[in-house]
Amino acid sequence: MVEELGKKKSEQYWPNVAGAQKVYGAYTIHCTAVDSSDKRIVHTSLRVEENGKEVCSLKHYQWIDWPDRSVPHSLLAVFRLLRFSRNSRFTTVVHCSAGIGRTGAFVAIEMILQRSVSSDSVKMVNVVKQLRGMRASAVQTDMQYVYLAMSIVNYCKEVGIMKSSFFEAFNRFKESYESLAQKRLAEEEAKMRGMANDMEIMERHIEEITKELERWDTQLEKYEARKEENIEKLYEEPLPADCADGIPQVRTTRILTNQCLAMYHGSKELVRVKQENEQLETRAEELHKEVQEVDEITQE
């Protein structure tokens, strides 16, 4: 399982230790090598077999320091990954957690670069609009949109195609970008930690309510049993001696009345307990929904 800030983001669907393997039905994925020399990108070589017969080899690249809903610490790592992809003659599959933020930004940069080769003018907003037409919400946050611009102009400077007259403006832009990126990253991490704490609190509430429900269920069982006992006693009670021709006299009437009153009050208590039980169940369902909503938000 791949986690970020203690939150599950992806299944560990590939073996990430040399010599390890994972089996999916008829397919077995073997890890043949792991290269961690790049501090940002882990390169894993994989071999895929179907029913024991090799069908293909794969290269898996994992970018390990690009936070969810944020921007990467490096402005050049994306171009190293793109170079790996261009050197392959096979289709490249890109994914992150939700498949819109980091994935969208990565693909958008490649689209901008490809268009800049064939056009003198490229509007970044049009590229993102087109990308979102194919993948809704691609380039998820405003900070990721700024990252597109920053990475492209930084690349232009690094490869020497930026005019020197733009250097001063570029440096100001880069300084502002880095300051904003650090601020947003801190905010996002605090938000994620807050959500994690909220989930822990909700889970404790659910546990407490579950215990309370169990306690009330036990009480209900006792009341039901007591009710049945009272009914049985009522019918099994022999007629008193002062009952003439099956018509109870005053004392007999008092006995039966007391029994009926006991049953009546017991029934009222049973109704009250059932109502409280229903309220607890409703609250438990609400808390479960809240936990699911928080979980969905944190996985985006």
Side-chain angles (χ1 to χ4, degrees):
M1 182 171 65
V2 180
E3 293 186 350
E4 293 179 29
L5 296 175
K7 186 67 180 176
K8 177 182 176 181
K9 290 297 179 180
S10 169
E11 295 293 342
Q12 185 66 50
Y13 59 85
W14 74 99
N16 58 348
V17 178
Q21 66 181 39
K22 283 184 175 288
V23 179
Y24 300 97
Y27 294 92
T28 303
I29 304 175
H30 299 270
C31 177
T32 57
V34 178
D35 183 358
S36 302
S37 57
D38 189 320
K39 65 178 182 179
R40 304 189 187 282
I41 301 170
V42 178
H43 174 200
T44 305
S45 298
L46 304 171
R47 186 181 75 254
V48 181
E49 295 179 353
E50 181 181 8
N51 295 321
K53 182 179 180 181
E54 182 175 344
V55 291
C56 67
S57 295
L58 301 174
K59 292 181 179 179
H60 185 281
Y61 299 95
Q62 183 185 9
W63 194 339
I64 58 177
D65 71 340
W66 186 343
D68 190 17
R69 298 179 61 85
S70 187
V71 296
H73 301 288
S74 169
L75 291 171
L76 295 176
V78 62
F79 299 101
R80 293 203 297 277
L81 268 179
L82 288 173
R83 185 175 69 251
F84 294 147
S85 176
R86 295 193 194 105
N87 290 337
S88 173
R89 58 190 179 90
F90 299 104
T91 301
T92 299
V93 177
V94 184
H95 80 85
C96 50
S97 178
I100 53 178
R102 291 169 287 189
T103 298
F106 181 85
V107 174
I109 289 174
E110 174 67 350
M111 291 174 67
I112 292 170
L113 290 176
Q114 293 295 336
R115 291 191 180 187
S116 64
V117 173
S118 58
S119 175
D120 294 333
S121 176
V122 179
K123 289 187 176 181
M124 195 169 71
V125 65
N126 291 339
V127 172
V128 174
K129 283 182 178 179
Q130 182 184 7
L131 184 58
R132 286 188 169 186
M134 296 180 282
R135 177 64 171 171
S137 300
V139 187
Q140 190 176 16
T141 67
D142 55 352
M143 194 65 220
Q144 289 172 347
Y145 186 79
V146 177
Y147 162 71
L148 299 183
M150 185 71 248
S151 61
I152 293 297
V153 295
N154 183 72
Y155 177 76
C156 292
K157 183 176 184 297
E158 291 292 330
V159 298
I161 60 176
M162 178 185 288
K163 294 180 179 180
S164 58
S165 57
F166 288 104
F167 284 2
E168 185 177 349
F170 166 78
N171 290 333
R172 289 198 303 269
F173 178 34
K174 187 175 183 180
E175 183 178 342
S176 299
Y177 167 83
E178 290 175 347
S179 176
L180 180 60
Q182 290 178 359
K183 179 182 177 182
R184 289 294 183 84
L185 179 59
E187 290 173 352
E188 193 64 33
E189 289 179 348
K191 181 180 177 182
M192 293 289 289
R193 284 193 293 269
M195 286 183 174
N197 291 335
D198 289 343
M199 286 191 66
E200 289 179 4
I201 293 172
M202 286 184 180
E203 287 171 356
R204 286 199 296 269
H205 284 332
I206 290 174
E207 185 178 351
E208 292 171 359
I209 287 178
T210 301
K211 290 180 180 179
E212 190 70 8
L213 284 171
E214 292 174 354
R215 188 176 71 83
W216 281 113
D217 284 339
T218 303
Q219 286 292 99
L220 279 171
E221 290 175 1
K222 290 180 180 179
Y223 280 119
E224 291 284 1
R226 189 180 303 170
K227 178 182 175 182
E228 293 297 328
E229 289 175 4
N230 288 337
I231 292 174
E232 290 176 2
K233 287 180 180 178
L234 178 64
Y235 286 104
E236 292 175 359
E237 183 76 22
L239 289 175
D242 64 346
C243 181
D245 298 325
I247 301 175
Q249 304 301 313
V250 176
R251 191 172 69 82
T252 304
T253 303
R254 188 184 303 115
I255 293 172
L256 294 176
T257 301
N258 290 339
Q259 290 177 342
C260 290
L261 283 173
M263 289 179 59
Y264 169 72
H265 289 299
S267 298
K268 284 183 65 178
E269 182 67 12
L270 184 62
V271 170
R272 184 184 68 80
V273 172
K274 284 184 176 180
Q275 289 175 343
E276 291 184 0
N277 191 39
E278 290 173 356
Q279 291 173 357
L280 285 170
E281 288 178 346
T282 301
R283 180 56 181 154
E285 290 177 0
E286 291 174 352
L287 285 172
H288 277 299
K289 289 180 181 179
E290 291 177 9
V291 171
Q292 290 175 354
E293 290 174 359
V294 171
D295 192 48
E296 289 173 0
I297 292 172
T298 55
Q299 288 188 14
E300 291 180 354

